[in-house]
């Protein structure tokens, strides 16, 4: 038998002593309360020992058994605590009322010691099982929260689609390598080398931050997969790892919006004396995609003729 701590709640000292003596003889520790209000104060006191089972009388001053039981079941911190009603009120209506309110059992005050022992052991076993289930759920919730945080962190450094792929169940198979038709898009800055040589480094860094700040959200909005960006260019592809029937149209829509937005950005820098433009190339073709790199530093990349063509078209774009 597993011993536990039982709170005996009864306004009659003689009844409490009888129950305490019985409980002690079968190996349980005991606490006492004269009425429901005192019992609740004990249970809610963080400095009071934890209780495994409550034995509750019905007829008590200040706060009777019904009120006490209702208060226990309404308190999230105490609602799982098993309550066994031990009362001289043997009316069926009282029994049904207590069971419906959440009591584990309803026993007469002349209860047989073996029956009480069995009911306490069963109640404690049920509580341990419930505590284990709740602990498991809490651990699962913490695990899911950790995964969400990891995905959020990954999304800061990876394309959102790749971040989701890395943390998914079938991600490893995708990362290992696969073949798929994609649409690749290269975006390259014109006159960036001369701009970098003429401008102060702080100006160059400020421009790149503004440039990336404008272009990056457009790629995300069009659900493109950003393979990489260098200081002066982007390489983005569509239809992987998420399938997109309209991948070519998405790439063209992104290119048009990039061109329009860069017009505003370029005009501002032209007023400062720097002429910067962009060239964009788009091509559709089959590619092999997956993990590229080495242990400790991997990227999700694509290799194929369409990507080479998109890069060449970007270089030729006026």
């Amino acid at each position: 038998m597993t011993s536990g701590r039982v709170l005996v709640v009864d306004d009659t000292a003689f009844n409490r002593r009888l129950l305490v003596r019985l409980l002690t003889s079968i190996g349980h520790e005991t606490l006492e309360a004269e009425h429901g209000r005192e019992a609740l104060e004990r249970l809610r006191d963080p400095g009071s020992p934890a209780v495994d089972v409550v034995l509750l009388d019905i007829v008590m001053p200040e706060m009777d058994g019904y009120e006490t039981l209702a208060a226990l079941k309404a308190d999230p911190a105490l609602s799982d605590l098993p309550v066994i009603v031990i009362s001289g009120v043997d009316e069926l209506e009282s029994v049904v009322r207590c069971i419906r309110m959440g009591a584990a059992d309803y026993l007469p005050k002349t209860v047989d010691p073996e029956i009480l022992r069995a009911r306490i052991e069963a109640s404690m076993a049920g509580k341990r099982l419930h505590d284990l289930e709740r602990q498991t759920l809490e651990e699962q919730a913490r695990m899911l929260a950790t995964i969400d945080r990891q995905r959020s962190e990954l999304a800061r450094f990876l394309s959102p689609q790749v971040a989701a792929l890395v943390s998914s169940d079938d991600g490893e198979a995708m990362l290992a390598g696969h073949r798929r038709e994609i649409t690749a898009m290269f975006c390259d800055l014109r006159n960036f080398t001369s701009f970098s040589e003429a401008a102060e480094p702080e100006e160059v860094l400020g421009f790149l931050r503004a440039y990336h700040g404008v272009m990056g959200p457009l790629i995300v909005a069009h659900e493109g997969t950003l393979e990489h960006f260098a200081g002066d260019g982007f390489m983005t592809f569509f239809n992987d790892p998420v399938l997109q029937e309209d991948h070519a149209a998405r790439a063209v829509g992104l290119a048009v919006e990039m061109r329009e937005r860069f017009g505003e950005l370029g005009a501002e820098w032209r007023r400062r004396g720097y002429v910067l433009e962009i060239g964009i190339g788009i091509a559709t073709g089959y590619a092999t995609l997956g993990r590229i790199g080495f242990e400790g530093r991997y990227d999700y990349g694509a290799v194929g003729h369409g990507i080479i063509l998109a890069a060449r078209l970007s270089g030729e774009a006026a």
Side-chain angles (χ1 to χ4, degrees), residues 12 14-15 18-19 36 50 71 74 105 108 114 122 146 155 161 171 199 206 244 294 317:
T12 304
F14 177 74
N15 292 336
L18 286 177
L19 287 171
D105 209 338
E114 290 303 315
T146 299
Q161 299 92 326
Q244 299 160 327
F294 56 90

Side-chain angles (χ1 to χ4, degrees), residues 9-299:
V9 189
D10 196 310
D11 64 319
T12 304
F14 177 74
N15 292 336
R16 291 201 307 274
R17 284 196 299 270
L18 286 177
L19 287 171
V20 166
R21 189 178 303 117
L22 173 59
L23 293 166
T24 303
S25 70
I26 59 178
H28 295 299
E29 297 180 39
T30 59
L31 296 173
E32 299 179 45
E34 294 184 8
H35 48 73
R37 196 174 307 283
E38 182 184 353
L40 289 171
E41 289 173 357
R42 276 183 173 274
L43 292 170
R44 289 168 175 164
D45 181 3
S48 184
V51 170
D52 298 300
V53 180
V54 175
L55 301 186
L56 180 66
D57 189 20
I58 290 295
V59 181
M60 295 182 294
E62 291 198 39
M63 192 172 192
D64 65 22
Y66 301 124
E67 295 173 303
T68 306
L69 181 57
L72 285 169
K73 297 306 174 182
D75 188 332
L78 301 174
S79 60
D80 297 331
L81 186 62
V83 178
I84 299 175
V85 176
I86 298 183
S87 174
V89 181
D90 58 357
E91 298 173 359
L92 179 61
E93 181 181 351
S94 180
V95 177
V96 172
R97 180 179 179 184
C98 290
I99 297 299
R100 284 179 173 172
M101 292 174 68
D105 209 338
Y106 192 107
L107 303 174
K109 282 199 172 180
T110 56
V111 60
D112 182 276
E114 290 303 315
I115 293 177
L116 180 60
R117 181 205 299 260
R119 294 312 300 150
I120 290 176
E121 290 181 2
S123 296
M124 289 176 56
K127 183 176 183 297
R128 286 194 298 271
L129 179 60
H130 189 278
D131 289 345
L132 180 60
E133 290 175 346
R134 181 171 60 184
Q135 181 181 355
T136 301
L137 290 174
E138 290 173 352
E139 290 175 354
Q140 289 175 345
R142 286 194 294 270
M143 186 182 301
L144 290 173
T146 299
I147 292 172
D148 287 341
R149 286 194 300 271
Q150 290 173 342
R151 284 178 174 172
S152 297
E153 287 297 311
L154 283 170
R156 294 176 58 198
F157 298 97
L158 301 173
S159 179
Q161 299 92 326
V162 179
L165 179 67
V166 169
S167 55
S168 68
D169 293 336
D170 59 348
E172 184 57 36
M174 294 282 286
L175 291 171
H178 57 283
R179 179 180 172 84
R180 181 173 294 170
E181 184 183 59
I182 64 169
T183 296
M185 192 196 82
F186 274 81
C187 177
D188 181 60
L189 280 173
R190 300 291 189 264
N191 304 322
F192 182 73
T193 301
S194 58
F195 164 63
S196 299
E197 292 172 347
E200 293 295 325
E202 292 79 9
E203 285 187 299
V204 175
L205 183 60
F207 169 77
L208 287 176
R209 284 176 174 168
Y211 172 58
H212 295 157
V214 169
M215 300 303 175
L218 294 180
I219 295 173
V220 174
H222 286 265
E223 298 182 337
T225 299
L226 178 63
E227 188 200 59
H228 75 273
F229 61 88
D232 61 340
F234 293 88
M235 192 292 219
T236 305
F237 53 81
F238 294 83
N239 202 39
D240 189 272
V242 179
L243 293 173
Q244 299 160 327
E245 292 184 0
D246 58 343
H247 52 93
R250 285 175 183 264
V252 173
L254 173 60
V256 170
E257 195 166 352
M258 279 184 163
R259 183 181 61 187
E260 292 173 351
R261 293 296 301 276
F262 188 84
E264 304 166 7
L265 193 62
E268 178 184 342
W269 284 87
R270 195 173 290 109
R271 288 192 292 271
R272 303 185 190 187
Y274 302 110
V275 179
L276 293 164
E277 300 287 351
I278 57 171
I280 299 174
I282 301 171
T284 295
Y286 281 91
T288 299
L289 305 103
R291 185 192 297 113
I292 296 176
F294 56 90
E295 189 66 37
R297 180 62 172 90
Y298 287 110
D299 286 325

